[in-house]
Amino acid sequence: MSRPPAVPVQALSSLDELRSWLGPVAPATPRVTLYLPLQRAIPEVRQNALLREQAAREVEQRLLAVGASLAPVGVIRRVEIDLAKLGPAPAALALLIVDETARCLPLHAPTAYQVAVGGCFALRPLLQAWHAHARYRVLAVSINRIACFEGGPEGLAPIDLPEVPTSLANALGEELTEKQVRLRGTARGGDKPVYYSHGSARDERKLDLTRFHERLIRSLTAVLAGPSLPVVLAATDDHQSALRAGRKLPALLDEPLTGNFDQAAPDELRKRSWPIVARWVERQRDDALAGWERARNRGKTADLLDDVAAAALAGRVARLWVDASRKLPGRLDVATGRCLPDGENDILDAIIELVLHHGGEVRPLDAELLPSTTGVAAELR
């Protein structure tokens, strides 16, 4: 008996990719969310398959209970995921399924096993993992080496930026300045030639560096000027100041990683860069919380559940704070924006999905950090 064909699954590597895939809330079509911790050691790696089979049985029971199609069960059992293509050592996998369409997302923070079936995806563990283990890049710049790495606290991997030069010589090529040396007759006695030059080697080096930095900024602008992962610049002081002049590369984090990294391996760069990113993540959270207070003073916030739900449906939520663990049974009436009783669904999941779908930001927080007592708090556009 032939084996059923494998189900193709697309890996989503960014929040923007997730947003573009999320559609309008459709409670009639169950959405399946799985969080599967991954074993990497050989003796325990079989646990990955066993855990997935356990999840398939749980999903089957829940779909049978509501009389829904069992297509997602077949997807769980037949999906093939190449872990080697998901970045350095993911700790868990989020699998999102609608009918026979699947998307997976690698998670690099420890994430508990969870199965959810409902009208919306259960995205809070995923968002928590992404905020706690922010993805970022390291740009290592010297005259001998320009290299870019991407990853998180679990590890960095080199990435190819085809339009970006790989060194000063590669950037300037035949335009590289050479000290002009000329012959001026002979010395007294006529037996030795005398050489002289225009300018100094120091002046020529300065000119080359200026042209190098200008060309490097132009090539990096196309890669880093738009929405981008945060970038740690690993370079000496002269490169740091030149590449930050004019603020043409806004993705660069303000805190530098200073030194010469000609020979630095990805693991060394990770060890030295992640503390910079962790401090940036904490500042981002604190700044956002301060933004909530400013928005409340302007009357641009909502924290009553019906008000937040209506604003999310209308695409008016710029940033949503939500209790990371609280469950509020209910569903969203897409005609009125009101929350209705429903024991099978979680209204907070519906609101989260709507905010993401409309381009807003969602930050799950522990209850004691949340700027409201209702489980949700929204900054409005």
Side-chain angles (χ1 to χ4, degrees):
M1 184 175 179
S2 62
R3 182 183 177 185
V7 175
V9 57
Q10 179 181 339
L12 304 179
S13 59
S14 71
L15 191 56
D16 287 337
E17 289 183 0
L18 175 62
R19 291 181 200 278
S20 65
W21 183 65
L22 291 174
V25 175
T29 304
R31 302 190 179 194
V32 175
T33 312
L34 304 182
Y35 291 98
L36 304 173
L38 297 176
Q39 299 290 340
R40 309 286 298 193
I42 295 300
E44 294 89 14
V45 74
R46 187 169 176 268
Q47 293 298 318
N48 296 335
L50 295 176
L51 197 61
R52 192 164 69 177
E53 178 57 31
Q54 176 184 333
R57 290 196 299 268
E58 290 186 36
V59 170
E60 184 174 20
Q61 291 173 1
R62 299 188 192 189
L63 292 175
L64 285 171
V66 297
S69 167
L70 297 181
V73 179
V75 172
I76 296 170
R77 289 183 169 136
R78 290 156 43 210
V79 70
E80 290 188 354
I81 301 168
D82 187 351
L83 296 180
K85 295 182 179 180
L86 297 181
L93 191 70
L95 192 60
L96 311 178
I97 307 170
V98 181
D99 289 327
E100 294 190 0
T101 302
R103 297 291 185 270
C104 71
L105 300 98
L107 305 179
H108 298 280
T111 305
Y113 171 80
Q114 181 179 332
V115 173
V117 179
C120 302
F121 293 118
L123 298 176
R124 274 175 281 181
L126 183 157
L127 296 170
Q128 278 186 294
W130 276 5
H131 284 305
H133 283 55
R135 312 300 291 166
Y136 72 101
R137 290 175 175 171
V138 172
L139 179 66
V141 175
S142 72
I143 61 173
N144 300 313
R145 180 201 194 194
I146 303 168
C148 194
F149 303 83
E150 185 174 316
E154 75 290 341
L156 295 172
I159 61 170
D160 186 28
L161 301 178
E163 303 302 319
V164 177
T166 56
S167 66
L168 181 146
N170 179 245
L172 301 184
E174 295 181 355
E175 299 175 30
L176 188 63
T177 304
E178 293 183 1
K179 188 177 180 183
Q180 299 297 311
V181 180
R182 301 185 180 187
L183 176 66
R184 187 187 63 198
T186 59
R188 182 175 298 178
D191 58 341
K192 294 181 179 179
V194 174
Y195 296 96
Y196 69 99
S197 64
H198 291 290
S200 67
R202 182 177 179 180
D203 291 338
E204 292 171 357
R205 175 182 171 83
K206 184 176 180 180
L207 175 61
D208 282 341
L209 279 177
T210 298
R211 294 165 57 235
F212 167 60
H213 290 140
E214 290 173 349
R215 187 155 301 180
L216 182 56
I217 289 173
R218 286 198 300 271
S219 65
L220 287 171
T221 298
V223 181
L224 305 178
S228 176
L229 295 175
V231 178
V232 176
L233 179 58
T236 56
D237 287 334
D238 53 348
H239 297 305
Q240 293 278 356
S241 58
L243 294 179
R244 294 178 186 279
R247 306 294 294 179
K248 294 182 179 179
L249 303 173
L252 295 183
L253 298 188
D254 290 337
E255 187 176 348
L257 179 56
T258 306
N260 187 306
F261 298 95
D262 275 355
Q263 305 299 324
D267 192 53
E268 178 189 348
L269 289 170
R270 176 193 62 81
K271 289 178 181 177
R272 297 187 59 179
S273 63
W274 173 247
I276 294 174
V277 179
R279 289 189 287 272
W280 174 80
V281 168
E282 188 173 349
R283 287 193 300 272
Q284 292 287 104
R285 186 200 66 189
D286 293 343
D287 289 347
L289 282 169
W292 158 265
E293 294 297 336
R294 292 190 295 270
R296 184 171 64 176
N297 293 335
R298 300 195 309 271
K300 299 289 288 183
T301 62
D303 59 5
L304 297 179
L305 192 61
D306 280 341
D307 292 344
V308 173
L313 187 61
R316 294 178 53 233
V317 177
R319 179 182 288 123
L320 178 72
W321 303 97
V322 60
D323 192 313
S325 57
R326 187 173 179 179
K327 302 293 184 183
L328 291 179
R331 63 181 176 86
L332 185 64
D333 185 338
V334 295
T336 65
R338 295 188 64 81
C339 303
L340 303 177
D342 186 334
E344 300 296 326
N345 291 286
D346 187 335
I347 189 64
L348 295 182
D349 287 339
I351 293 173
I352 289 168
E353 195 166 314
L354 276 171
V355 171
L356 290 174
H357 175 64
H358 287 294
E361 178 187 355
V362 177
R363 284 184 171 266
L365 284 182
D366 293 336
E368 61 270 19
L369 296 176
L370 198 68
S372 78
T373 59
T374 63
V376 287
E379 290 181 41
L380 305 178
R381 293 188 173 100

